[in-house]
Amino acid sequence: MVSALAGVMTSVIGKLTTLLGEEYAKLKGVHREVEFMKDELSSMNALLQRLAEVDRDLDVQTKEWRDQVREMSYDIEDCIDDFMKSLGQTDIAKRAGLVQNVIQQLKALRGRHQISSQIQGLKARVEDASKRRMRYKLDERTFEHRISRAIDPRLPSLYAEPDGLVGIDKPRDELIKCLMEGVGALVQQQKVISIVGSGGLGKTTLANEVYRKLEGQFQCRAFVSLSQQPDVKKILRSILSQVSQQEYANIDVWDEEKLINAIREFLKNKRYFVIIDDIWSNQAWKIIKCALFPNDVGSKIMTTTRSITIAKSCCSPQHDHVYEIMPLTEANSKSLFLKRIFGSGDMCPPKLEEVSSEILKKCGGSPLAIITVASLLANKASTNEEWERVYNSIGSTLEKDPGVEEMRKILSLSYDDLPHHLKTCLLYLSIFPEDCEIKRDQLIRRWIAEGFINTEGGQDLEEIGDGYFSDLINRSMVQPVRIQYDGRVYSCRVHDMILDLLISKSIEENFVTFFGGQNQELVLQHKIRRLSLNCYSQEHIAVPSTAIISHCRSLSVFGYAEQMPPLSKFRVLRVLDIENGEDMESSFIEHVRTLCQLKYLRLDVRSISAFPEQLGELQHLQTLDIRWTKIRKLPKSIVQLQNMTCLHVNNLELPEGIGNLHALQELREIKVKWDSLASSLLELGSLTKLRILGLRWCIIDTHGNKEIFVENVVSSLCKLGRLNLRSLCIKSDYGYSIPLKEMYGYSIEFLLDSWFPSPHLLQKFQMDAYYFFPRVPVWIASLDNLSYLDININPVEEEALEILGGLPALLLLCLSSESSAQNNMFICLKDFRFTCWSNGKGLIFEAGAMPSLEKLEVPLDAGKDLDFGIQHLSSLMHVTVKIICGGATVREVEASEDAIRSAVTLLPNHPTLEIRIWGDENMVEEDQGKAEEEIQTSTQLI
């Protein structure tokens, strides 16, 4: 497993162990050196793991030794990979012809001789590192003389003056209401509320304001702050001292049990209010909670934490008492910013308006970031040039300013609390540019390719990576951007201030090297291990000729880089990801076949129209994503990629031999036609590990053999359905030569009854085809795991709705029809999107219908009866209504909008409302000018 602090040490030890196995037992000249290095590196790795635990306390000399060993581990792995590659070439030579055999053998021997010399040199480096460790007594100096802790940087939050706070009133009053409200006996029950949010959002300040506001309403109270490694006895002593307001003899020698009993006895019949601030672990909370006697006299407990998981644990089982603190609004951010600089929240010189807005955008509503930057500006001249300089320096010079150290320390607390594997995964996000939306699945596959995820017990790597991603979200280290129907985060973003911290640490650890943006002028001091080129903010970005890129493992390019070194120079590359490289030379990709260690290849480059035929030589390739290229045919050699797990293409046909890709788990979007190779369609069923499949129907003419085609497709789908298939998406891509009325016959009607046995593991079925099933397909009715269904059915009768409503796991339903019925009891459904292509009445929501529904999207005809029972959907959080204007007047459209707004306003959760106007060009022209001015237009298809 690769680590930011220990490099690839664990991976190297594993590979050295492999070289000592029976398969390589006959190797001469290197066996002894390999064994020596393995033993020495194993010992060093143990020390590196211990050093990682106390990284903040290391002195300069220990850090230097650690960094040298980390860099050495990378070099050793590169050498081992070259060595194993040369052995593989020898095996190939044995299978070649006589002349070719001799030539290949000579090349391989020459290469092995060179590698043998490199191993000797690496052995000497290992010996030197081991001697330095003993000479400087690194073990003793690190663990016997720990540096004392600095003052807690969160302490000022406890003593913030109320007059200087901005935007605190509303969240404070909401929390007080939640704490104190209740009916009858409920108000007397002990209640626990947890405030959760990332570092710097003001959790401690908010909790302290609630504490102040409720002074005098409880018989006793206490406020204690924890640390990442809390002294539980000290915390318990503080609680006892605060609630009792008395001193106890010999309390310093009391153990946890005696302290807990004393606190419980004192609180037994008292109405108390206790705040436990900044909880970092469930274990600490469980011990402290034992002391807080659960009486029925109206006692209240409040906790703060950066972890959603811990927040829910504190409030269990009443998860509804988790209060997520939000960033400051734009108005409050501006007020706090100006108040700190000018003493007034509404006084900003006009010349500084624009730059102040840009600075606040970077701060992202974080009070800590706003106050920090404002404090810096308060001591500088109020000129546009000076403020622009500070704005541009955020992420580079700003981090060196003494006034920003406290903010960095607070933000670093969350980073320091992460386990080693999550620190590495989080640091990797520094590769992406500021404000970049990072998709979960792409990130996880990159983590896997880099070796950040270690599997134990045969668990799937992507599932482990998904757990890592969720953990970072729960710890508030990254911000969710888009949420899926099932509650999982689809994409995330890194707060600018967190990103600056990650960039700083990545540079310090030589984890990533940056060019472009704020870090273009970086001084090169090491071999580049990972390279991030940000071409969005500056043009003419080029990698300096002095940069050592031959050891680069990851190359990420964002935008068009004019002067890119040839790929042949990146000989150990594992990850190649090019985003929006539209103008990149198509010849750049020609040397991709030389990247024998490549595991992840993603190209968003429109200029690329072909791959080299030798693509099959990339035997380590796991992910290939070429959806955003002009490639129209896959190389035949692609079927040789035995480690390929994910293949994303854009409407390309299956190559013959696709069944050889036994590791494939995700395949989309593949073009299928009546005249597609029968063998390829049948081989699709041989992909026993396939979980996600995307197909695109491409009907060019009607002369193909439809019966054979259907038989092959159904055969493969039935095989996949019996195995691991979780998701199936079918899209249509019709040719213009087919009359519209004939499309039904050449669509997916054969899936109505032919899929048997049903795909029992299927979780998602999506159809994007101009075809309507006459009823619910038989196989869908038995899918107990189906959570996402996008289907066209006509007509939608009560029987169909009863079947769909009976699916036990269904969370999202997209239903298109030309008519509809009125029975819609869906117990678990959270997201319902309905499209009705008729002018008749749509669905009617009866009392008790869809009790869990949170999102609703429906079409409504302007000017007609809008009473469709929305008042019965009490759980709604977001409503989207498409008003169809055909034949309606402007007044009727306006009246429909008003009626919808009124109905939504009356719902208990006050859901957000989005109204889309569709077909406004067909409105009756009462007043054309008014229509153009007041009616929102939309060209989006329903």
Side-chain angles (χ1 to χ4, degrees):
M1 190 172 141
V2 179
S3 162
L5 293 176
V8 291
M9 187 65 79
T10 307
S11 174
V12 164
I13 293 170
K15 290 182 177 181
L16 290 172
T17 302
T18 301
L19 286 176
L20 292 173
E22 293 183 7
E23 186 179 352
Y24 301 97
K26 295 182 181 180
L27 294 176
K28 297 179 180 179
V30 296
H31 196 277
R32 187 176 301 171
E33 285 79 3
V34 168
E35 187 171 16
F36 170 82
M37 285 196 294
K38 174 186 172 294
D39 294 340
E40 283 296 306
L41 293 177
S42 295
S43 176
M44 289 182 190
N45 191 41
L47 178 57
L48 287 175
Q49 299 303 321
R50 295 178 66 198
L51 292 179
E53 298 288 345
V54 293
D55 180 55
R56 291 169 293 174
D57 297 335
L58 298 182
D59 59 30
V60 176
Q61 197 167 44
T62 306
K63 279 187 176 182
E64 178 63 23
W65 180 85
R66 180 203 64 189
D67 293 347
Q68 290 179 3
V69 172
R70 179 194 63 224
E71 295 299 306
M72 181 178 66
S73 73
Y74 282 115
D75 293 340
I76 292 175
E77 183 173 54
D78 292 343
C79 181
I80 294 173
D81 289 340
D82 285 343
F83 185 59
M84 289 182 165
K85 178 186 174 185
S86 71
L87 293 176
Q89 289 176 341
T90 303
D91 293 337
I92 293 173
K94 291 177 181 177
R95 297 192 295 269
L98 179 60
V99 177
Q100 189 67 21
N101 187 343
V102 173
I103 295 173
Q104 290 291 341
Q105 289 276 13
L106 288 172
K107 287 182 179 179
L109 287 172
R110 190 183 304 118
R112 288 172 64 181
H113 177 73
Q114 292 172 349
I115 293 168
S116 181
S117 299
Q118 291 178 26
I119 289 177
Q120 293 287 349
L122 290 170
K123 178 190 174 186
R125 286 176 64 182
V126 172
E127 288 178 327
D128 289 343
S130 184
K131 289 176 182 176
R132 283 197 304 276
R133 173 184 174 183
M134 303 302 294
R135 187 186 312 136
Y136 300 124
K137 300 179 181 179
L138 298 182
D139 301 62
E140 297 176 17
R141 64 191 296 162
T142 300
F143 301 104
E144 290 182 7
H145 304 288
R146 297 283 298 275
I147 299 173
S148 61
R149 280 270 165 248
I151 297 173
D152 190 341
R154 301 161 297 175
L155 201 56
S157 298
L158 296 175
Y159 301 97
E161 292 298 327
D163 292 343
L165 301 176
V166 172
I168 199 85
D169 295 349
K170 183 181 177 183
R172 179 199 62 202
D173 294 345
E174 288 175 346
L175 278 169
I176 290 174
K177 181 181 178 183
C178 190
L179 268 175
M180 308 303 287
E181 71 179 359
V183 179
L186 291 177
V187 76
Q188 297 301 317
Q189 289 183 358
Q190 184 193 70
K191 182 180 286 189
V192 183
I193 290 182
S194 190
I195 305 173
V196 65
S198 58
L201 281 183
K203 298 181 298 297
T204 301
T205 302
L206 177 58
N208 196 41
E209 275 301 292
V210 174
Y211 192 67
R212 286 179 180 177
K213 195 76 173 177
L214 294 180
E215 185 177 4
Q217 298 191 34
F218 296 87
Q219 293 174 279
C220 56
R221 60 185 197 148
F223 190 123
V224 292
S225 293
L226 275 61
S227 61
Q228 290 172 315
Q229 297 174 335
D231 183 338
V232 176
K233 285 198 289 186
K234 182 179 178 182
I235 297 296
L236 293 172
R237 287 198 299 267
S238 179
I239 293 175
L240 180 58
S241 175
Q242 290 185 58
V243 296
S244 68
Q245 294 293 303
Q246 51 184 290
E247 296 182 3
Y248 294 83
N250 301 319
I251 191 173
D252 290 341
V253 298
W254 290 11
D255 60 16
E256 286 92 340
E257 185 178 357
K258 188 171 182 179
L259 287 165
I260 289 172
N261 288 334
I263 296 171
R264 287 177 66 89
E265 183 62 30
F266 186 86
L267 298 179
K268 193 171 184 180
N269 298 309
K270 291 184 176 63
R271 188 170 188 258
Y272 62 83
F273 181 29
V274 175
I275 293 181
I276 312 296
D277 179 45
D278 218 12
I279 300 176
W280 292 88
S281 70
N282 281 320
Q283 188 60 35
W285 163 248
K286 287 177 181 177
I287 296 174
I288 294 170
K289 187 180 181 182
C290 292
L292 305 178
F293 191 89
N295 55 39
D296 291 325
V297 293
S299 296
K300 313 297 179 187
I301 302 169
M302 181 179 288
T303 66
T304 75
T305 179
R306 305 185 186 198
S307 168
I308 295 173
T309 303
I310 293 175
K312 289 180 178 179
S313 174
C314 291
C315 301
S316 183
Q318 293 90 9
H319 289 179
D320 56 322
H321 295 320
V322 172
Y323 184 90
E324 186 171 356
I325 189 170
M326 303 304 293
L328 292 178
T329 63
E330 187 176 336
N332 284 333
S333 295
K334 186 175 182 180
S335 177
L336 178 62
F337 181 71
L338 298 178
K339 199 172 188 179
R340 177 65 186 85
I341 300 173
F342 301 112
S344 172
D346 55 2
M347 189 183 80
C348 181
K351 62 182 179 181
L352 298 176
E353 284 280 358
E354 186 176 345
V355 65
S356 64
S357 296
E358 292 300 318
I359 290 173
L360 287 173
K361 199 176 294 183
K362 266 187 177 290
C363 293
S366 165
L368 175 65
I370 293 169
I371 291 171
T372 302
V373 178
S375 299
L376 187 63
L377 289 170
N379 297 316
K380 296 185 181 296
S382 296
T383 64
N384 193 71
E385 292 76 15
E386 189 65 31
W387 283 34
E388 285 278 3
R389 189 192 67 77
V390 171
Y391 168 74
N392 292 326
S393 71
I394 294 176
S396 50
T397 357
L398 183 61
E399 69 184 50
K400 301 178 183 69
D401 191 286
V404 196
E405 280 306 304
E406 293 308 307
M407 180 183 73
R408 287 179 53 78
K409 287 177 183 176
I410 292 175
L411 296 178
S412 293
L413 287 174
S414 295
Y415 175 82
D416 294 334
D417 185 58
L418 295 173
H420 304 317
H421 64 278
L422 287 185
K423 283 182 179 176
T424 304
C425 291
L426 181 62
L427 272 191
Y428 197 69
L429 271 66
S430 65
I431 284 177
F432 300 93
E434 183 180 297
D435 297 325
C436 178
E437 183 179 342
I438 306 166
K439 294 179 180 177
R440 178 197 63 221
D441 292 347
Q442 291 179 7
L443 179 63
I444 291 172
R445 292 189 190 105
R446 287 187 58 152
W447 283 345
I448 293 172
E450 291 274 7
F452 298 162
I453 299 177
N454 190 23
T455 181
E456 295 180 3
Q459 192 176 354
D460 182 76
L461 287 174
E462 290 199 22
E463 290 180 1
I464 299 173
D466 191 69
Y468 288 2
F469 183 83
S470 298
D471 208 349
L472 291 176
I473 294 288
N474 288 335
R475 291 170 180 263
S476 304
M477 295 304 298
V478 293
Q479 302 170 325
V481 177
R482 284 193 274 174
I483 310 294
Q484 292 182 173
Y485 67 95
D486 56 0
R488 296 172 65 209
V489 176
Y490 174 79
S491 61
C492 69
R493 182 178 289 121
V494 184
H495 189 286
D496 288 351
M497 296 301 170
I498 295 287
L499 181 60
D500 293 338
L501 175 69
L502 299 182
I503 289 174
S504 173
K505 289 186 176 294
S506 291
I507 294 170
E508 182 182 343
E509 308 296 343
N510 193 31
F511 190 69
V512 183
T513 302
F514 305 90
F515 289 107
Q518 303 149 4
N519 303 284
Q520 188 180 6
E521 303 301 325
L522 217 56
V523 177
L524 296 172
Q525 297 177 333
H526 304 278
K527 297 173 182 175
I528 293 177
R529 302 301 179 184
R530 293 170 190 86
L531 181 59
S532 176
L533 295 177
N534 181 2
C535 308
Y536 289 148
S537 56
Q538 295 185 27
E539 296 180 357
H540 312 299
I541 300 298
V543 179
S545 57
T546 54
I548 305 174
I549 59 175
S550 57
H551 294 271
C552 182
R553 293 164 165 256
S554 170
L555 174 60
S556 303
V557 184
F558 302 94
Y560 169 50
E562 290 184 357
Q563 303 177 27
M564 279 293 298
L567 280 179
S568 56
K569 292 191 175 183
F570 295 88
R571 62 183 189 85
V572 299
L573 206 64
R574 268 79 169 164
V575 172
L576 175 58
D577 195 337
I578 302 178
E579 176 81 24
N580 288 333
E582 293 188 13
D583 299 319
M584 187 169 287
E585 294 290 336
S586 59
S587 58
F588 175 74
I589 206 67
E590 289 179 3
H591 295 288
V592 71
R593 60 187 177 85
T594 65
L595 307 178
C596 59
Q597 298 298 328
L598 195 65
K599 295 183 178 181
Y600 181 97
L601 177 57
R602 177 178 170 271
L603 299 173
D604 180 357
V605 186
R606 304 302 196 279
S607 58
I608 294 178
S609 57
F611 258 141
E613 283 298 326
Q614 299 89 343
L615 187 69
E617 295 178 10
L618 305 180
Q619 285 299 299
H620 294 285
L621 194 63
Q622 299 168 345
T623 297
L624 177 61
D625 187 346
I626 54 172
R627 286 172 292 179
W628 309 109
T629 67
K630 291 184 178 179
I631 295 174
R632 291 294 170 259
K633 187 177 182 181
L634 292 169
K636 293 180 180 179
S637 63
I638 196 173
V639 299
Q640 300 171 15
L641 301 176
Q642 298 295 308
N643 290 303
M644 177 89 75
T645 60
C646 176
L647 176 58
H648 285 181
V649 298
N650 182 17
N651 202 18
L652 302 186
E653 289 192 66
L654 287 170
E656 191 171 7
I658 189 71
N660 294 327
L661 303 181
H662 299 298
L664 204 59
Q665 298 180 18
E666 186 167 342
L667 174 63
R668 55 183 181 184
E669 287 180 352
I670 290 297
K671 180 195 293 186
V672 290
K673 305 185 299 183
W674 298 149
D675 57 352
S676 294
L677 286 172
S679 58
S680 297
L681 291 176
L682 284 174
E683 284 183 272
L684 198 60
S686 303
L687 304 176
T688 58
K689 295 184 178 180
L690 197 65
R691 296 181 177 185
I692 300 174
L693 176 61
L695 302 176
R696 184 181 285 272
W697 263 215
C698 184
I699 303 176
I700 298 177
D701 54 49
T702 60
H703 303 299
N705 194 326
K706 178 185 174 183
E707 288 73 22
I708 295 177
F709 168 82
V710 168
E711 184 179 333
N712 292 338
V713 171
V714 170
S715 173
S716 289
L717 289 178
C718 288
K719 289 178 182 177
L720 295 173
R722 285 194 293 266
L723 298 168
N724 290 298
L725 192 64
R726 262 72 166 181
S727 173
L728 175 63
C729 177
I730 299 178
K731 295 184 179 181
S732 295
D733 186 11
Y734 298 106
Y736 292 107
S737 60
I738 301 177
L740 186 63
K741 63 181 181 179
E742 293 185 19
M743 288 185 179
Y744 289 94
Y746 292 92
S747 191
I748 57 175
E749 60 180 344
F750 57 87
L751 281 181
L752 192 59
D753 298 311
S754 58
W755 201 338
F756 181 82
S758 60
H760 63 289
L761 295 177
L762 198 69
Q763 299 170 2
K764 179 177 181 178
F765 176 72
Q766 181 178 4
M767 62 180 288
D768 181 8
Y770 197 84
Y771 170 75
F772 289 83
F773 288 116
R775 52 182 167 80
V776 179
V778 175
W779 51 274
I780 285 182
S782 60
L783 299 180
D784 291 341
N785 296 301
L786 193 69
S787 59
Y788 182 113
L789 178 60
D790 183 348
I791 191 169
N792 305 338
I793 301 176
N794 189 54
V796 178
E797 297 177 340
E798 288 191 20
E799 181 183 359
L801 290 174
E802 287 177 4
I803 293 172
L804 297 179
L807 294 173
L810 193 62
L811 297 175
L812 184 148
L813 174 61
C814 295
L815 182 60
S816 294
S817 181
E818 294 181 351
S819 62
S820 60
Q822 300 183 18
N823 187 344
N824 44 5
M825 293 293 293
F826 291 76
I827 304 301
C828 301
L829 201 66
K830 290 184 176 295
D831 191 336
F832 180 47
R833 306 169 192 178
F834 180 62
T835 300
C836 184
W837 295 99
S838 71
N839 292 321
K841 210 164 188 176
L843 285 176
I844 302 295
F845 298 100
E846 301 171 345
M850 303 187 181
S852 303
L853 195 68
E854 296 176 358
K855 293 183 179 180
L856 173 67
E857 185 174 313
V858 291
L860 296 173
D861 291 326
K864 294 190 178 181
D865 184 10
L866 299 181
D867 183 15
F868 56 96
I870 193 173
Q871 68 272 17
H872 298 138
L873 304 177
S874 58
S875 297
L876 278 178
M877 302 297 293
H878 183 80
V879 178
T880 301
V881 177
K882 307 170 190 171
I883 298 181
I884 302 173
C885 304
T889 65
V890 173
R891 278 201 186 89
E892 287 174 329
V893 173
E894 291 174 341
S896 297
E897 289 187 71
D898 292 339
I900 292 165
R901 288 193 178 94
S902 298
V904 171
T905 303
L906 296 174
L907 292 172
N909 294 327
H910 306 294
T912 58
L913 173 63
E914 180 182 357
I915 296 178
R916 302 174 186 170
I917 308 300
W918 189 75
D920 58 297
E921 67 277 4
N922 296 319
M923 286 190 298
V924 176
E925 297 184 7
E926 280 185 323
D927 184 339
Q928 186 63 33
K930 186 176 181 181
E932 291 177 356
E933 179 182 350
E934 297 185 3
I935 301 299
Q936 175 186 359
T937 60
S938 173
T939 56
Q940 295 180 348
L941 293 178
I942 294 181

